[in-house]
Amino acid sequence: MAGDWSAESGYQAGLELGERQGVTAVFAANDHMALGLLRAFHELGVRVPQDVSVVGFDDIPEAGYLIPPLTTVRPDHGEVGRRSVEVLLRLLDGQDADDVPCVVPTLVRRASTAAAPN
């Protein structure tokens, strides 16, 4: 589903998704869109996380103060940059870089996610 990174587009997506059967989780492209989703779900009576889990991306400062507090991905751009430079330098030096971890743990678990309902 397309959006434009705004809370309004998240809200519009939430209105549509909230009417669909079988939706148990939504990963929003950013926290602002997730904020809009939360509002739409609230208005439709869709309970987060009991009915649908919501995850955002960015970990904006307000994410922990939403109702419910938003589970989100906090990108560590500095660590990704450091690892990328390390790989590049090794490759330029003719070395193997397969041992450089490429996964940077970033999930910030809060109250907007739960196990899928039965």
Side-chain angles (χ1 to χ4, degrees), residues 11 25 42 60 67 72-73 77-78:
Y11 176 76
H42 174 77
I60 60 173
I67 298 174
T72 186
V73 174
H77 300 294

Side-chain angles (χ1 to χ4, degrees), residues 23-34:
V23 175
T24 61
V26 178
F27 178 77
N30 67 7
D31 287 350
H32 289 101
M33 290 182 70

Side-chain angles (χ1 to χ4, degrees), residues 3 22 35 65 74 82 86 102 109:
L35 181 149
Y65 297 96
R74 178 187 301 143
R82 279 188 289 284
E86 182 180 352
C102 63
R109 293 180 191 212

Side-chain angles (χ1 to χ4, degrees), residues 13-88:
L15 291 176
E16 183 178 331
L17 290 169
E19 297 293 340
R20 291 186 186 177
Q21 297 295 317
V23 175
T24 61
V26 178
F27 178 77
N30 67 7
D31 287 350
H32 289 101
M33 290 182 70
L35 181 149
L37 277 163
L38 291 174
R39 178 175 174 177
F41 287 165
H42 174 77
E43 289 178 2
L44 294 171
V46 176
R47 300 168 305 154
V48 175
Q50 296 88 342
D51 300 326
V52 177
S53 289
V54 176
V55 178
F57 188 93
D58 288 331
D59 196 24
I60 60 173
E62 300 82 7
Y65 297 96
L66 298 172
I67 298 174
L70 181 64
T71 296
T72 186
V73 174
R74 178 187 301 143
D76 186 344
H77 300 294
E79 185 61 24
V80 170
R82 279 188 289 284
R83 291 182 189 187
S84 298
V85 169
E86 182 180 352
V87 167
L88 179 61

